[in-house]
Amino acid sequence: YPGVNVNKNISIIIPFYYGYSNNDDPSYPVHVIGEICSLSGKIPFVFGEENFFPQIDLVTRKDMLKNLHQYFHHNSIDEEYSAFIRFNFSFKKRIVVLEEKKKALKIGDNLAYSNHLIGTLADLFTLFLLMMNIARPGGVYAGGWFITVNRKQKNEWYHRLNKVNGANVDWLLWGVNSNENSNIKDLDILQTWRWFIKNIPLMYGKIQTPVSRALHVYSKLLEKSSSTSEELQLLWSMIGLEAVFTDESINEESLSSQIVSKSKLLFDDMVNSKKIKNMYKIRSKFIHGKLNSTILIEDVFEEEKIMDRYNFPIADAAKLATTLLLSALQHFISNGWNDIKFDRKIFLEGKITTEQN
């Protein structure tokens, strides 16, 4: 096969925020960092026709840490409560690229392919962080990353801001009743990532299913723009729920009933019908301008305002909607599904009754 020779190391360095206290919960960020590092050499990333397995470790060099902390200090990353994980890819062997793929990607030389490689890596890491916030919901806070490329024994640095932030999901799941949260679990990271890799066409909209649409809107929940707006969190979550659980209908009562009945099928009746219908009423009141908004509360770090937001009906509804959406996505992925369909069947049984004397 004709191919391109690439001889360089490329590293992705990601800042992970891990919270202010030690927690025994295995999904807590400080434990997630250790789990990711334990998967060094085991997590596959696909380039061209080959799998590459990066070495994963923590950045410990003092000069590098100092530079990284100086940069991220200006991006609200607390030095005392953060760690930097490095994924190191060694491209010292021939990467096979089929001739037709080279033409499709408009790759004409090694430099063009190298740039394509960096862009592909960045896209894959966006998916990786999205995956981590499904396998370990709220366990990965990453505000951005650096890409370092070793060309001719000299490191070149590229910075890319990251839109995927588990803090939003952590906020939404915080304080959720244990019964409501009982369907959310920790998924196997490797198994979950393999599902993502296998279903790349779903991620980029080449194949559209209810599962792909739900996944896309869940990614919107992780964006910075959603972090201080329960209204956006509620709307994105509800779009995801309707994508999975409803058929086209103009009857809102019918939509909420569909979510109740179908989620019960998925979660073995562990669903609070009354709360789901109330969630839908709040969503409808907000959309139709019958409910106040919290969107003008700017100082989100003032404790009184945080509690006002947290106890607001919209926040309540957003929490439940996010919990249901995340539970559904985990269920699909753990079962290997990339599509879902509910069939409604009506059974008719004829009987003959006789008059009793």
Side-chain angles (χ1 to χ4, degrees):
Y1 294 110
V4 178
N5 286 318
V6 179
N7 186 11
K8 63 171 60 67
N9 291 328
I10 298 179
S11 294
I12 304 280
I13 300 175
I14 307 177
F16 276 62
Y17 171 81
Y18 56 81
Y20 288 92
S21 63
N22 291 320
N23 192 306
D24 293 332
D25 184 346
S27 65
Y28 205 66
V30 68
H31 302 297
V32 173
I33 291 171
E35 189 173 3
I36 292 174
C37 289
S38 74
L39 295 173
S40 179
K42 299 177 183 177
I43 302 176
F45 285 78
V46 181
F47 302 98
E49 307 298 324
E50 298 187 48
N51 284 326
F52 289 83
F53 299 86
Q55 297 298 308
I56 306 171
D57 61 5
L58 291 175
V59 175
T60 55
R61 254 179 52 190
K62 290 184 178 179
D63 59 335
M64 187 176 288
L65 281 173
K66 183 178 179 181
N67 290 334
L68 290 168
H69 281 307
Q70 282 179 345
Y71 177 82
F72 282 103
H73 175 72
H74 302 294
N75 288 271
S76 302
I77 298 291
D78 193 323
E79 179 175 341
E80 186 177 354
Y81 300 104
S82 60
F84 293 88
I85 298 183
R86 175 172 46 207
F87 292 71
N88 188 56
F89 295 84
S90 182
F91 296 103
K92 292 183 178 179
K93 63 179 185 175
R94 190 173 181 83
I95 298 177
V96 176
V97 181
L98 299 181
E99 202 61 53
E100 54 267 28
K101 181 160 288 191
K102 283 181 63 179
K103 291 178 181 177
L105 295 172
K106 298 181 180 179
I107 298 170
D109 53 35
N110 283 2
L111 179 61
Y113 186 70
S114 175
N115 292 335
H116 166 69
L117 199 62
I118 294 170
T120 302
L121 258 180
D123 289 343
L124 283 173
F125 265 87
T126 299
L127 289 182
F128 181 79
L129 294 174
L130 171 60
M131 178 278 297
M132 284 300 305
N133 274 292
I134 293 176
R136 298 290 182 276
V140 177
Y141 300 21
W145 60 68
F146 282 102
I147 301 174
T148 69
V149 182
N150 184 266
R151 300 183 201 265
K152 298 180 180 179
Q153 298 183 340
K154 179 182 178 182
N155 280 337
E156 298 178 8
W157 289 69
Y158 304 86
H159 177 252
R160 174 163 173 164
L161 290 174
N162 171 42
K163 294 182 178 180
V164 178
N165 192 342
N168 298 355
V169 173
D170 193 28
W171 159 262
L172 286 165
L173 297 182
W174 178 57
V176 172
N177 182 282
S178 58
N179 291 329
E180 296 170 356
N181 203 17
S182 59
N183 292 308
I184 294 178
K185 54 193 175 184
D186 287 344
L187 302 184
D188 180 272
I189 292 175
L190 275 179
Q191 180 184 343
T192 308
W193 180 238
R194 288 190 183 107
W195 182 92
F196 267 71
I197 293 296
K198 184 179 179 181
N199 290 286
I200 286 289
L202 263 74
M203 311 302 158
Y204 297 118
K206 294 179 181 178
I207 298 175
Q208 294 193 29
T209 71
V211 174
S212 71
R213 288 189 283 273
L215 192 63
H216 290 174
V217 297
Y218 179 75
S219 73
K220 298 293 185 182
L221 281 170
L222 299 170
E223 289 189 355
K224 186 177 181 180
S225 59
S226 298
S227 62
T228 56
S229 172
E230 285 75 21
E231 292 80 3
L232 281 176
Q233 293 163 354
L234 175 61
L235 292 179
W236 284 128
S237 295
M238 291 303 304
I239 291 170
L241 290 178
E242 290 191 13
V244 170
F245 292 116
T246 69
D247 299 319
E248 290 186 17
S249 172
I250 59 172
N251 187 321
E252 290 188 349
E253 179 63 30
S254 171
L255 291 174
S256 63
S257 296
Q258 285 184 61
I259 292 175
V260 169
S261 61
K262 292 176 183 178
S263 59
K264 281 185 175 182
L265 282 175
L266 202 63
F267 303 125
D268 299 323
D269 287 334
M270 294 176 64
V271 170
N272 190 316
S273 305
K274 185 176 180 180
K275 287 192 174 183
I276 291 179
K277 289 188 176 183
N278 185 58
M279 169 191 74
Y280 218 92
K281 285 180 182 177
I282 291 171
R283 166 262 192 205
S284 298
K285 284 184 179 180
F286 171 65
I287 285 178
H288 297 300
K290 305 300 181 185
L291 194 64
N292 285 344
S293 168
T294 63
I295 205 165
L296 293 180
I297 297 178
E298 296 177 359
D299 188 0
V300 296
F301 299 106
E302 191 174 314
E303 185 175 354
E304 184 179 340
K305 290 182 178 179
I306 288 176
M307 295 315 297
D308 283 345
R309 285 178 54 206
Y310 190 78
N311 293 317
F312 206 69
I314 289 178
D316 234 22
K319 289 173 184 295
L320 180 55
T322 300
T323 301
L324 281 171
L325 177 60
L326 179 56
S327 299
L329 285 171
Q330 285 194 334
H331 190 87
F332 304 149
I333 291 171
S334 60
N335 283 283
W337 302 345
N338 59 16
D339 197 357
I340 186 171
K341 182 180 180 182
F342 292 92
D343 286 324
R344 178 177 294 181
K345 295 182 180 179
I346 300 175
F347 295 93
L348 175 63
E349 182 180 355
K351 291 185 177 181
I352 299 175
T353 58
T354 57
E355 186 178 346
Q356 300 292 323
N357 294 325

